[in-house]
Amino acid sequence: MTDLTALTLEAALAGLKAKNFSSVEITKAHIDACMEGADLNAFITTDFENALVAAKASDAKLAKGEGGALEGAPLGIKDLFCTEGVKTTAGSKILGAFKPQYECTVTANMKQDGMVMLGKLNLDEFAMGSSNETSAFGSVVNPWKPEGKNDEELVPGGSSGGSASAVAANMCLGATATDTGGSIRQPASFTGTVGIKPTYGRCSRWGIVAFASSLDQAGPITRTVKDSAIMLQSMAGYDPKDSTSINKELPDFSVACDRSIKGLRIGIPKEYTIDGMPGEIDDLWQQGIEWLKDAGAEIVPVSLPHTKYALPAYYIVAPAECSSNLARYDGMRYGVRVDGEDLNDTYEMTRAAGFGKEVRRRIMIGTYVLSAGYYDAYYLQAQKVRSRIAEDFTNAWETCDALLTPTCPSAAFPIGRPVNDPVQMYLNDIFTVTANLAGLPGISVPAALDKDGLPLGLQIIGRALDEETVFAAGAALEKAAGFTAKPKKWWV
Ligand code: GLN
């Protein structure tokens, strides 16, 4: 019998429809895979009992030839999405045993379409991080290992590390993720998976725990570009409950994956290379250019002159918004409370006990850059830089239709690598934050293995609302790269 966990989402949905196997069968196969992979620590909460109930309900629908676009498919949900009656932690201790009484719009859409939810996936605390090491529930382990170094454990990237690891290890057919500065694309690059951050406003933020509201965007992590298109189609859509949600008809993302890129103008921004970046990443970028050329694209050099200011601007805007968003965790309404001598003391003790080091650092930076006297020098300045970065892209779109860049400046690195300097960690996001600051769609597609046998991704960034071109170019890269490598299964 075929290994049902090795199927793409697309093939699984077709197989379910054709009744080659049932949802209960494919769900059970994934539950087994999740149990085998427990050491990867990808899940914070599993919900297998309800998954089987949902699978049975899907089978009943499928038997009648009914069912939605994700009917019967076992998927994972990043634990930042509020799910009714299922513990939601945001990777933090501060929420305690919080069980939302409501369902966020994205997962509501997916449930409406018939998804079977296996559980809630691990992440950096409040999605702040690039390695999943800031989670209060422990690091997630990357299923990939450097060749010949079997005792080394690598990070899966962050903040959607659980999502990336679970998809790469065939524990679910696809997973939701969120991307504020790169948290879909960087973990996808580190685990040989595909991840797309759509245009800001495509997916409703309603019911997703907020990190930095003007940057946060949900999207899928999957094993193929087509699978990402299928999942995004279900996740996205207008929602009046999110005032920044885009009220525009969704194009057919799957159809876009099959579109030819003949004549498409691909811009190569000269600023997307940094000192100390491995030569292999530059080589892969060149290879990507050749692949797209062979597929009929026209390559144009472009300049995005404010790129070097993107990371500093992001690390002002994101902490500023986080300090405001996280002010609500005061021990009065949610989760953890540590009683102090008076109200202020209670606030302080609660927040000191509930938040981890990285979240506290961000709150302090954010509070500082928003405080009287520093607001103009930092926050306002960063907002101006943000406008310049958006303008850079607008100018680039005069000569090209999409951009090709590396996703990250490195491959996955070892868990516990000493990080005395947080800026070193922040550098992971150097090629991804720009798309968040400008609200643009970006996809990471696995393109090659490095000299240690670890996956590397290439990124396509597109115009706002033009995910179709991003999918088309992403699918062309995927086809040319022919990336079929899988991590060796050492975790059983
Ligand atoms: N790594 C970035 C950060 O720590 C991005 C996180 C994200 O996209 N959620 O802020």
Side-chain angles (χ1 to χ4, degrees), residues 120-295:
K120 307 295 291 289
L121 294 157
N122 205 342
L123 69 156
D124 278 301
E125 185 173 9
F126 283 98
M128 296 173 203
S130 305
S131 63
N132 220 122
E133 293 169 292
T134 75
S135 168
F137 298 88
S139 299
V140 174
V141 181
N142 191 330
W144 291 86
K145 289 213 183 253
E147 232 153 69
K149 289 193 190 161
N150 283 334
D151 5 311
E152 192 159 282
E153 292 195 329
L154 302 179
V155 304
S159 64
S160 312
S163 307
S165 194
V167 172
N170 290 2
M171 285 153 66
C172 52
L173 294 168
T176 66
T178 60
D179 191 313
T180 302
S183 282
I184 292 177
R185 293 159 286 157
Q186 184 252 19
S189 178
F190 278 19
T191 56
T193 54
V194 174
I196 179 166
K197 178 199 93 70
T199 307
Y200 181 78
R202 271 289 194 213
C203 289
S204 169
R205 289 181 296 104
W206 193 82
I208 301 175
V209 177
F211 163 12
S213 308
S214 77
L215 302 161
D216 298 344
Q217 204 22 230
I221 292 183
T222 60
R223 292 195 286 268
T224 67
V225 173
K226 185 63 96 43
D227 286 0
S228 271
I230 295 170
M231 253 184 87
L232 183 61
Q233 199 80 42
S234 174
M235 295 169 70
Y238 174 60
D239 178 12
K241 289 192 286 215
D242 171 2
S243 61
T244 57
S245 167
I246 294 168
N247 191 357
K248 279 232 160 80
E249 192 79 14
L250 288 182
D252 188 326
F253 297 134
S254 291
V255 167
C257 296
D258 299 325
R259 222 194 234 182
S260 155
I261 60 158
K262 231 185 169 94
L264 195 73
R265 298 167 308 166
I266 300 285
I268 309 299
K270 65 168 194 269
E271 292 81 4
Y272 277 55
T273 174
I274 57 164
D275 285 349
M277 186 164 99
E280 291 173 280
I281 294 186
D282 241 325
D283 295 346
L284 179 60
W285 195 13
Q286 292 312 313
Q287 176 66 67
I289 293 175
E290 292 310 316
W291 285 333
L292 293 180
K293 246 195 226 166
D294 291 345

Side-chain angles (χ1 to χ4, degrees), residues 293-323:
K293 246 195 226 166
D294 291 345
E298 186 194 324
I299 303 296
V300 269
V302 296
S303 173
L304 302 167
H306 295 91
T307 301
K308 63 172 178 290
Y309 304 116
L311 203 61
Y314 170 84
Y315 276 99
I316 289 176
V317 174
E321 294 188 20
C322 118
S323 74

Side-chain angles (χ1 to χ4, degrees), residues 42 58 171 174 238 246 311 338 357 397-398 408 462 474:
S58 287
M171 285 153 66
Y238 174 60
I246 294 168
L311 203 61
V338 180
K357 198 165 143 209
W397 303 141
E398 290 184 7
C408 305

